[in-house]
């Protein structure tokens, strides 16, 4: 078995750290390979800034090689394997992820920083997509269309789109690849994966498990690169005529850039971009449920999720009670520290830039009248930042109009339903939203009228393999997960037969 998932202690630059393979390589055409440039870059643990591994730094030449391998792999995967056979391999991949959960989660925590318990949950969540699409592979149905004339047969079939480029983020380095790749491979596509430069190791470990599951050479390729090379590689993937679709999860500005770069080849683009989720607590809400939901959506991954509650609107009648309960829950349950420590429930932010952003947003809010209830300080280690609660947040503050991507819970009061609905929708992004209350008519109204792609009603954790994930406005194009997830990777074909 490849040494990828074996942990060993080595020294580099007089610094001791855990390493998986020595000299981590890209995975192209079923082989582990170094970049043609001969260069590499360091992957750091955000909690202590120690080097986790050194990874090969791919360039456009390597990307071209990966795309060519995917072109060759596609022909075999799409047309020599039946849907049932593809599904069986995906199901084996699912089983391997569960079997190797501890190893994969440990790696994920070391490079991303999230608590080991959350990392385990991510591996389970990732595996669920391979399980789901193992079954969906055999349910990609076409249509028989009645003809208006005699002696003709009209068929609609769904064909795999071809080679797809999957560009993934650092906050869920295994799950975001799994969600895309499982759907794409289930219908016969091949993939070139470009993981975030902060967290490439989880993607490479996923490639190793793909090989163990029996994914043929060329069907799943991973190219790693630092920030500078990533821009050139992404541009190449968008403009390549051999790449039929781009699937990207990340920031809205980068998504817009990729969309523009893909215009020259008129390729399919699936974007899961930023969110600025509203969370509304009505005066009839069960406050224990509302606080539990807020904790789940706000502080998971230290607030670094695209569906994290960023704008928390609380009815004035129950505002003080809610804030008191939320502050108590934060004090009791949120423990900032090293993700490998079993007591830790809040890991570090991804880098110092993320900490700086939180500090600027908090300073602006406090300067405009917000009240600090708890937190608000840089942690003792690396890019750690204390879970923070502020109230009396004004609508003209930066934090009320910016995706925070950090562990700050900003509370705004409201009085009228129409007032809070307008405030919640006064945003150019619309990924997720949350409502807490008991009045079913009101909950139904807000579920329908919130301008978002997903709504949690009395629930803070909404994502699962069986449901469609995606947003509206500038939060993206297309859906991932559920039966809808294969839509991004298939084309409808009309066949007219005279007989």
């Amino acid at each position: 078995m490849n040494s990828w998932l074996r942990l060993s202690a080595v020294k580099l630059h007089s610094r001791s750290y855990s390493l998986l393979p020595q000299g981590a390589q890209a995975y192209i055409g079923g082989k582990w390979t170094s970049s043609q440039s001969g260069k590499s870059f360091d992957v750091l643990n955000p909690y202590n800034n120690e080097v986790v591994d050194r990874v090969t730094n791919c360039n456009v030449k390597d990307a071209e090689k990966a795309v060519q391998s995917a072109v060759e792999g596609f022909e075999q995967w799409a047309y020599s394997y039946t849907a049932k056979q593809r599904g069986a391999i995906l199901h084996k991949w699912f089983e391997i992820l569960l079997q190797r959960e501890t190893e994969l989660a440990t790696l994920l925590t070391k490079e991303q920083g999230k608590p080991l318990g959350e990392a385990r949950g991510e591996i389970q969540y990732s595996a669920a997509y391979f399980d789901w699409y193992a079954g969906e592979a055999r349910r990609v149905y076409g249509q028989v269309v009645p003809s208006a004339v005699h002696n003709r047969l009209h068929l609609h079939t769904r064909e795999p789109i071809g080679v797809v480029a999957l560009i993934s983020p650092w906050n869920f380095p295994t799950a975001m690849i799994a969600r895309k790749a499982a759907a794409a491979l289930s219908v016969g596509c091949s993939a070139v994966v470009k993981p975030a430069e902060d967290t490439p190791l989880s993607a490479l470990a996923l490639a190793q498990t793909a090989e163990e599951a029996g994914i043929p050479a060329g069907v799943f390729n991973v190219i790693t690169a630092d920030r500078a090379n990533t821009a050139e590689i992404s541009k190449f993937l968008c403009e390549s005529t051999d790449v039929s679709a781009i699937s990207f999860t990340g920031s809205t500005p980068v998504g817009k850039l990729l969309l523009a770069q893909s215009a020259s080849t008129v390729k399919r683009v699936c974007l899961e971009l930023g969110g600025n989720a509203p969370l509304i607590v009505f005066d009839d809400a069960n406050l224990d449920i509302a606080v539990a939901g807020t904790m789940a959506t706000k502080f998971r991954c230290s607030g670094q999720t695209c569906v994290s509650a960023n704008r928390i609107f609380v009815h004035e009648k129950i505002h003080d009670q809610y804030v008191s309960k939320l502050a108590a829950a934060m004090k009791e349950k949120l423990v900032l520290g090293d993700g490998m420590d079993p007591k830790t429930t809040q890991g570090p932010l991804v880098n110092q830039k993320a900490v700086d952003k939180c500090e600027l947003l908090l300073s602006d809010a406090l300067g405009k009248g917000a009240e600090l209830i708890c937190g608000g300080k840089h942690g003792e280690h690396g890019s750690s930042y204390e879970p923070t609660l502020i109230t009396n947040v004004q609508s003209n503050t930066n934090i009320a109009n910016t995706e925070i991507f950090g562990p700050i819970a900003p509370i705004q009061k409201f009085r009228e339903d129409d007032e809070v609905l307008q405030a919640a929708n006064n945003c150019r992004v619309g990924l997720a939203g949350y409502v807490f209350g008991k009045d079913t008519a009101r909950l139904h109204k807000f579920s329908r009228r919130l301008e978002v792609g997903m709504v949690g009603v009395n629930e803070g954790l909404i994502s699962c393999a069986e449901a469609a994930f995606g947003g509206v406005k500038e939060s993206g194009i297309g859906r991932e997960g559920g039966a809808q997830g294969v839509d991004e990777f298939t084309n409808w074909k009309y066949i007219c037969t005279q007989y």
Side-chain angles (χ1 to χ4, degrees):
M1 179 179 293
N2 189 289
S3 63
W4 248 108
L5 296 175
R6 300 194 194 110
L7 294 171
S8 60
V10 304
K11 283 185 177 289
L12 181 66
H13 301 315
S14 300
R15 186 178 295 176
S16 179
Y17 65 98
S18 290
L19 185 74
L20 281 80
Q22 293 192 10
Q25 299 173 308
Y27 187 75
I28 300 174
K31 297 179 180 179
W32 299 100
T33 179
S34 297
S35 169
Q36 297 181 38
S37 70
K39 297 180 179 180
S40 60
F41 64 99
D42 291 339
V43 179
L44 304 180
N45 181 325
Y47 180 74
N48 53 29
N49 291 321
E50 292 184 357
V51 176
V52 180
D53 206 343
R54 175 168 288 173
V55 180
T56 192
N57 194 10
C58 295
N59 55 25
V60 171
K61 291 293 185 182
D62 300 304
E64 291 174 351
K65 181 180 177 182
V67 169
Q68 184 55 44
S69 294
V71 169
E72 296 168 3
F74 171 73
E75 289 297 318
Q76 178 187 16
W77 185 243
Y79 303 117
S80 297
Y81 284 75
T82 65
K84 183 177 181 180
Q85 290 171 326
R86 291 195 298 268
I89 294 174
L90 291 179
H91 192 266
K92 186 175 181 181
W93 200 351
F94 153 74
E95 292 177 332
I96 291 171
L97 291 184
L98 293 185
Q99 292 165 3
R100 313 195 74 173
E101 177 188 310
T102 298
E103 296 162 283
L104 294 166
T106 299
L107 172 61
L108 199 161
T109 291
K110 286 181 178 294
E111 69 171 345
Q112 200 277 340
K114 67 178 60 178
L116 185 59
E118 281 194 24
R120 286 182 179 277
E122 179 173 340
I123 300 304
Q124 295 166 12
Y125 175 70
S126 304
Y129 282 97
F130 291 109
D131 183 37
W132 171 257
Y133 284 108
E136 286 297 287
R138 288 194 281 175
R139 293 191 285 269
V140 183
Y141 301 128
Q143 297 173 334
V144 178
V145 182
S147 173
V149 297
H150 292 297
N151 302 323
R152 289 215 312 194
L153 175 64
H154 293 177
L155 298 177
H156 287 163
T157 64
R158 299 181 72 173
E159 306 293 340
I161 199 169
V163 175
V164 300
L166 311 179
I167 306 175
S168 62
W170 49 262
N171 56 344
F172 291 92
T174 299
M176 295 302 95
I177 298 172
R179 190 161 71 188
K180 300 171 187 296
L185 269 61
S186 73
V187 297
C189 296
S190 60
V192 175
V193 178
K194 170 57 191 71
E197 64 274 10
D198 295 296
T199 55
L201 302 175
S202 291
L204 294 173
L206 199 56
Q208 172 61 28
T209 57
E211 182 178 289
E212 294 172 11
I215 298 292
V219 175
F220 188 82
N221 306 273
V222 179
I223 49 176
T224 55
D226 65 10
R227 190 176 299 274
N229 284 6
T230 291
E232 298 176 356
I233 289 172
S234 298
K235 187 174 186 291
F236 160 73
L237 294 173
C238 289
E239 295 178 351
S240 171
T241 55
D242 288 325
V243 176
S244 299
I246 298 286
S247 181
F248 169 74
T249 296
S251 72
T252 296
V254 173
K256 290 179 178 179
L257 176 62
L258 298 179
L259 185 63
Q261 291 176 343
S262 298
S264 63
T265 53
V266 198
K267 60 168 51 74
R268 182 82 55 79
V269 179
C270 177
L271 302 174
E272 195 270 281
L273 306 177
N276 197 4
L279 185 149
I280 303 170
V281 184
F282 294 112
D283 57 354
D284 63 344
N286 180 313
L287 293 186
D288 291 333
I289 293 176
V291 167
T294 304
M295 292 284 288
T297 182
K298 176 68 256 185
F299 296 108
R300 183 168 59 108
C301 197
S302 300
Q304 300 173 114
T305 84
C306 54
V307 293
S308 177
N310 282 322
R311 297 174 296 144
I312 303 175
F313 301 97
V314 182
H315 195 279
E316 61 182 14
K317 289 184 179 179
I318 46 89
H319 173 273
D320 292 352
Q321 291 175 275
Y322 170 86
V323 170
S324 178
K325 284 179 174 287
L326 181 57
M330 291 171 61
K331 182 178 181 179
E332 177 188 355
K333 298 180 179 180
L334 301 182
V335 179
L336 184 63
D338 183 351
M340 293 303 296
D341 187 334
K343 296 189 297 293
T344 296
T345 60
Q346 290 284 282
L349 300 186
V350 66
N351 52 37
Q352 183 58 41
K353 184 178 179 180
V355 174
D356 294 342
K357 178 182 178 181
C358 285
E359 291 182 333
L360 286 172
L361 290 174
L362 181 61
S363 177
D364 175 75
L366 296 177
K368 294 176 181 176
E371 179 183 353
L372 178 64
I373 304 301
C374 62
K377 297 179 182 178
H378 193 306
E380 295 180 2
H381 299 277
S383 53
S384 300
Y385 193 80
E386 293 180 349
T388 302
L389 175 61
I390 56 175
T391 61
N392 196 37
V393 174
Q394 304 302 307
S395 60
N396 66 338
T397 57
N398 292 334
I399 205 166
N401 298 280
T402 303
E403 184 178 28
I404 303 168
F405 241 64
I408 304 177
I411 312 297
Q412 302 180 56
K413 284 184 183 180
F414 76 92
R415 177 178 297 173
E416 303 294 339
D417 286 4
D418 290 345
E419 165 199 353
V420 74
L421 181 61
Q422 181 179 5
N425 287 338
N426 185 26
C427 187
R428 276 303 306 155
V429 292
L431 188 58
Y434 307 89
V435 289
F436 291 86
K438 297 176 182 176
D439 185 328
T440 55
R442 178 163 59 184
L443 292 175
H444 180 69
K445 171 187 174 182
F446 273 73
S447 297
R448 296 298 303 275
R449 294 189 60 185
L450 280 175
E451 295 172 359
V452 296
M454 302 172 287
V455 179
V457 180
N458 292 319
E459 178 57 69
L461 292 177
I462 59 177
S463 181
C464 62
E466 297 81 6
F469 190 104
V472 299
K473 298 181 180 177
E474 294 180 24
S475 282
I477 302 171
R479 293 294 182 270
E480 296 180 349
Q484 295 83 355
V486 300
D487 293 346
E488 312 307 322
F489 305 113
T490 58
N491 284 324
W492 281 101
K493 178 180 284 185
Y494 164 49
I495 302 173
C496 177
T497 302
Q498 176 81 32
Y499 63 89

